[in-house]
Amino acid sequence: MFVSLFAACAGLFFAGLCVADGRSADVPLVLLNGRADAFLYSGVWLDSGKRADIVDVVAHPERFTPPEGPEEQVINAGYKDAIVWIRVPVHVAADAPRDWLLEVGYPTLDQVTLYRREASGQWRAVESGDFVPRSRRPFEHHNLVFPLLLEPGAEEVMFLRVESQGNLTIPLTFWQPKDLLAADRSLYAWQALYFGALLALLSYNLMLFLAIRDPLYLTYSLMVLGMGSGLLTMKGFGSLLLWGDAVSLDNVAFPLSLALCGLAGALFTRRFLDSRHRAPLLDRVVLVLTALFAVETLSGYWLPYALLARLVSATGLCFSVVAVVLALQSLIRGQRSARLFLAGWLLLLVGVAVTALRNFGWLPTNALTSNIMQIGSALEMLLLSLALADRINSLRQEKDLAHADAVRAERKLVDTLRDWGVSLEREVVRQTHELRQANLRLAASEAIERRGREEQTHFIAMIAHDIRTPLAIIKAAVQSLQDMDASPPPPEHQKRYDRIQRALQRLNALLEIALMQDRTNVDDWRMEMAEIQLGALTEELLQLLSPADEARLCCRLADGLPALRGDPRMLRVMLLNIVENALKYSPRESDVRLEIETGIHAGSAGVFIRVIDHGPGIAPGQEERIFQKYYRSPDAVGQPGLGIGLFLARFICRRHGGILHVVARSGELGACFEAWLPLEKGDGA
């Protein structure tokens, strides 16, 4: 078996030594091909001095050479202390899509930077890698993925800068998003099957350890835990699913997990094969390797990553050879349980050996060498489980007491689960009761808030009604003063009369708004319909504004506007609320445009009323919330208001059979509110 696997690896290693000289100079991205291997067309340069920047790299294209031999699709520089620069020329076919993804399929690389030239000639850098927090990476994926927007028919040269203290393996692939998603579905299914099996084996053997207290099952479980967490990190799922932005943990989790796996595997091997008595000489070697694994596990977090990765790889490779020799010796000496152990351990250790050789750059990176540890570990875990079962069977007659203890432990486990179920049921009942009480308290709070708003509304309405009498007295007094004055009155007197009349009109409009708020929830509220001339309505609006605001409002009414049927008082309030909202949020030196024209909406003729300002605009996601009653945008801090104006404006517009909404303005500042009112409307029911 070992010879067959070695021959297969050797075949993959020596395959492809002859590279076709006539391959294209650019990565061809076409419509029908959802992926392209970039290393078939790219150039590579190892910067041993680590001093070159993008400007220096671009100025010396002669440094780049195409990958040769078996590494023509994936570069593997091993543990070289250098920065890898990759020059990727791209040619996009005329019928190719614009959206592409560049995948670097080795997530344990420390820092990967993609450089693309912008229209200004500057080089834009985008970073990823396990030194970059997950939330700052350009694309959410278990591998390192860069989104690209490529124009069809364009040619471009981009550069990748790769730096890592660990193994420099760099698979580089262009994908269309849908093809990467399709490939990920199959990959995730297999990964879920693999890690699910590891989790099941881990849980099962931990339960066995708790049941029979045999340290073999504990060391086996630790070995499964180390292997699973190491491969979870190596495949890029650790930070994606577990520790997120913990960069330091993501950086060392892979070698630390493999060191833990090696430590548990060495302890498991010594106890399972009883090397202390059967092979004392080899047992001493295993003890030394066990100590090395222990040191790497305990101090690995503080060791430099490059040193830790090399130590773990070298120790794992040495232990692979020692464990196989020890298993063969135990099998020759008649230990029956060594058969399955040898078969399973051989598969895993071949995977470890091949992975270590690949990490040092002595074997190429391909589908087999990238996944052989995962394949070997899955088979090894199953075979070791069978070996443990065989060991139990062989010792059953000699350990009747252990069997009885296992039965008692199982009963205890059942009782524990039963008690846990009863406790859980009680806890559910308690939590349900607390939730019910919380809901009752919430309902009471909502009722109190509702009553408070009703009282506030009634108070405003009462105040508004009480103010009407003194307003009428003031209006009559002003009229009397005008009658007693000279005819015509002096300009100074007329100016003061006009200011008082404008203020009275303004106050009357505000009272109408206050009174109208109390009627927005009345379903049978009927309107006083009349023919409305939009020009006259606009003149009334100007009279309600202050002189400064009147000067800022620019009105543009289309010629030949038809009469609109509606409630004049309500439409005046609607228009006043929208215009004042625009004036309030626009800079004082800017103007606000009011545009009125006829148009068709949903097949019906009507009038479009647009109010356009130069304020901060409406934040994304706030387009509908600003029309909610009592809602105020976070941008409204420091501005007067209660969050009623836009709500009331939309309410009035809908009562007239129209619509009021925010119109998007791409690339322009400010907001645009557009109301559409039908030319034909019923009696306002």
Side-chain angles (χ1 to χ4, degrees):
M1 182 181 299
F2 178 83
V3 175
S4 300
L5 286 174
F6 182 80
C9 294
L12 288 173
F13 178 76
F14 290 105
L17 287 175
C18 298
V19 182
D21 295 331
R23 63 188 179 186
S24 172
D26 294 340
V27 181
L29 303 181
V30 299
L31 176 62
L32 299 178
N33 187 8
R35 60 164 290 173
D37 292 319
F39 272 116
L40 290 172
Y41 313 91
S42 303
V44 179
W45 174 55
L46 297 181
D47 179 15
S48 300
K50 299 184 179 181
R51 292 188 297 270
D53 57 10
I54 183 61
V55 177
D56 181 53
V57 169
V58 173
H60 297 85
E62 70 279 1
R63 295 173 176 171
F64 291 87
T65 59
E68 298 179 355
E71 298 176 347
E72 60 179 353
Q73 297 187 30
V74 178
I75 187 173
N76 186 352
Y79 289 105
K80 290 183 179 178
D81 186 20
I83 294 177
V84 179
W85 286 89
I86 306 167
R87 182 179 183 272
V88 186
V90 178
H91 173 72
V92 187
D95 60 346
R98 302 173 72 240
D99 294 327
W100 289 85
L101 299 173
L102 178 60
E103 178 190 36
V104 182
Y106 200 70
T108 60
L109 295 171
D110 291 345
Q111 194 165 19
V112 180
T113 306
L114 174 66
Y115 290 93
R116 296 186 66 192
R117 190 186 293 272
E118 296 180 332
S120 62
Q122 299 295 321
W123 287 93
R124 178 174 175 265
V126 181
E127 293 186 346
S128 188
D130 65 7
F131 273 8
V132 178
R134 173 68 59 175
S135 59
R136 288 173 47 199
R137 298 185 188 180
F139 193 85
E140 190 71 7
H141 198 265
H142 67 280
N143 281 331
L144 311 178
V145 178
F146 298 89
L148 301 176
L149 190 63
L150 302 175
E151 293 297 330
E155 294 185 357
E156 178 181 352
V157 177
M158 57 187 71
F159 293 85
L160 274 174
R161 180 186 183 274
V162 183
E163 183 177 7
S164 185
Q165 300 178 36
N167 171 254
L168 286 167
T169 298
I170 314 170
L172 197 61
T173 307
F174 284 92
W175 293 90
Q176 291 181 19
K178 60 181 180 60
D179 295 283
L180 180 58
L181 178 62
D184 284 344
R185 289 196 194 101
S186 176
L187 172 65
Y188 290 165
W190 284 110
Q191 296 297 337
L193 180 63
Y194 172 80
F195 289 109
L198 286 190
L199 183 60
L201 288 172
L202 173 63
S203 304
Y204 174 75
N205 284 278
L206 276 177
M207 298 295 290
L208 285 177
F209 167 72
L210 294 175
I212 63 177
R213 302 297 179 180
D214 189 342
L216 264 178
Y217 295 99
L218 179 60
T219 54
Y220 178 87
S221 300
L222 290 176
M223 183 170 59
V224 174
L225 177 63
M227 180 62 66
S229 59
L231 292 177
L232 196 70
T233 305
M234 186 179 73
K235 296 299 181 180
F237 295 106
S239 61
L240 182 65
L241 303 176
L242 298 178
W243 47 78
D245 286 347
V247 173
S248 59
L249 179 59
D250 192 29
N251 186 46
V252 299
F254 178 55
L256 274 182
S257 298
L258 293 187
L260 174 63
C261 179
L263 174 61
L267 296 173
F268 178 87
T269 300
R270 289 191 69 234
R271 186 171 183 86
F272 188 92
L273 297 179
D274 194 17
S275 60
R276 180 179 178 183
H277 300 97
R278 296 178 182 271
L281 182 60
L282 285 176
D283 183 71
R284 295 190 185 94
V285 179
V286 174
L287 279 174
V288 173
L289 295 174
T290 303
L292 285 175
F293 279 128
V295 171
E296 293 163 3
T297 304
L298 296 175
S299 61
Y301 189 85
W302 296 275
L303 290 177
Y305 181 92
L307 176 60
L308 177 62
R310 288 173 172 83
L311 284 176
V312 173
S313 296
T315 311
L317 188 59
C318 293
F319 182 67
S320 302
V321 178
V322 173
V324 170
V325 172
L326 184 58
L328 285 172
Q329 183 175 341
S330 299
L331 183 61
I332 293 172
R333 293 183 179 180
Q335 186 178 356
R336 192 184 72 171
S337 57
R339 294 175 301 170
L340 292 173
F341 175 90
L342 177 62
W345 199 253
L346 183 62
L347 289 173
L348 173 65
L349 295 181
V350 167
V352 172
V354 171
T355 301
L357 292 173
R358 181 186 64 81
N359 287 343
F360 280 105
W362 300 338
L363 284 180
T365 300
N366 49 46
L368 177 61
T369 58
S370 296
N371 298 291
I372 191 169
M373 181 181 290
Q374 209 166 3
I375 297 170
S377 63
L379 296 175
E380 183 261 0
M381 297 303 170
L382 294 176
L383 289 173
L384 285 187
S385 295
L386 295 176
L388 287 172
D390 182 69
R391 183 175 181 272
I392 292 175
N393 291 330
S394 64
L395 297 176
R396 182 173 298 170
Q397 295 179 354
E398 302 176 4
K399 297 185 178 180
D400 293 335
L401 182 59
H403 176 70
D405 291 341
V407 172
R408 286 194 296 270
E410 184 177 358
R411 291 175 180 172
K412 183 178 179 181
L413 175 62
V414 172
D415 293 339
T416 302
L417 291 176
R418 186 184 300 111
D419 294 340
W420 179 80
V422 173
S423 300
L424 178 61
E425 183 178 358
R426 293 174 180 171
E427 182 66 18
V428 169
V429 172
R430 187 183 67 82
Q431 293 287 352
T432 303
H433 175 73
E434 292 181 358
L435 180 61
R436 188 179 297 111
Q437 295 299 320
N439 287 334
L440 291 176
R441 290 194 296 271
L442 179 60
S445 299
E446 291 178 349
I448 293 173
E449 181 183 2
R450 185 166 54 254
R451 286 197 299 271
R453 287 186 177 179
E454 291 174 356
E455 292 175 359
Q456 178 188 17
T457 302
H458 291 323
F459 176 76
I460 293 175
M462 181 182 66
I463 294 299
H465 281 295
D466 290 344
I467 292 178
R468 284 188 179 276
T469 299
L471 283 181
I473 295 174
I474 295 173
K475 186 175 182 180
V478 172
Q479 186 64 45
S480 298
L481 290 174
Q482 284 184 299
D483 293 340
M484 290 186 298
D485 207 342
S487 180
E492 182 63 26
H493 291 186
Q494 185 63 44
K495 182 177 180 181
R496 291 178 180 176
Y497 293 148
D498 291 342
R499 290 179 62 185
I500 295 173
Q501 291 289 349
R502 185 187 295 265
L504 289 173
Q505 292 175 356
R506 169 71 174 168
L507 191 53
N508 271 318
L510 293 177
L511 288 175
E512 287 182 359
I513 293 175
L515 292 174
M516 204 171 291
Q517 295 173 19
D518 192 34
R519 304 174 63 188
T520 55
N521 293 322
V522 181
D523 294 333
D524 60 349
W525 180 23
R526 302 180 65 85
M527 299 181 294
E528 300 176 1
M529 308 298 287
E531 296 291 330
I532 302 173
Q533 297 297 327
L534 293 173
L537 183 64
T538 305
E539 291 296 330
E540 292 180 15
L541 171 67
L542 293 173
Q543 293 298 319
L544 296 177
L545 299 176
S546 66
D549 287 342
E550 181 182 355
R552 292 172 57 197
L553 183 63
C554 301
C555 300
R556 185 178 67 81
L557 279 67
D559 296 333
L561 286 174
L564 185 68
R565 183 168 177 76
D567 187 319
R569 183 168 53 91
M570 293 179 64
L571 290 180
R572 183 170 61 248
V573 170
M574 180 194 79
L575 198 57
L576 178 62
N577 281 343
I578 301 175
V579 169
E580 284 198 330
N581 184 78
L583 290 168
K584 179 168 60 174
Y585 288 103
S586 295
R588 293 186 177 276
E589 66 276 5
S590 65
D591 60 352
V592 172
R593 300 202 310 273
L594 171 63
E595 301 176 352
I596 303 178
E597 61 184 7
T598 57
I600 303 297
H601 174 74
S604 300
V607 175
F608 285 100
I609 302 175
R610 300 184 187 90
V611 177
I612 304 170
D613 62 53
H614 295 84
I618 308 301
Q622 301 286 321
E623 293 85 351
E624 288 299 319
R625 297 192 65 186
I626 59 175
F627 292 103
Q628 296 178 4
K629 195 172 185 179
Y630 302 121
Y631 176 78
R632 303 201 70 204
S633 171
D635 297 332
V637 176
Q639 294 287 354
L642 297 174
I644 293 293
L646 292 179
F647 164 79
L648 191 58
R650 173 175 276 189
F651 174 81
I652 294 172
C653 189
R654 287 178 173 174
R655 294 289 294 182
H656 284 78
I659 59 173
L660 173 61
H661 62 101
V662 178
V663 178
R665 305 182 69 204
S666 60
E668 295 186 42
L669 295 176
C672 174
F673 289 85
E674 180 182 80
W676 178 84
L677 297 170
L679 290 176
E680 295 296 332
K681 176 64 182 170
D683 59 358

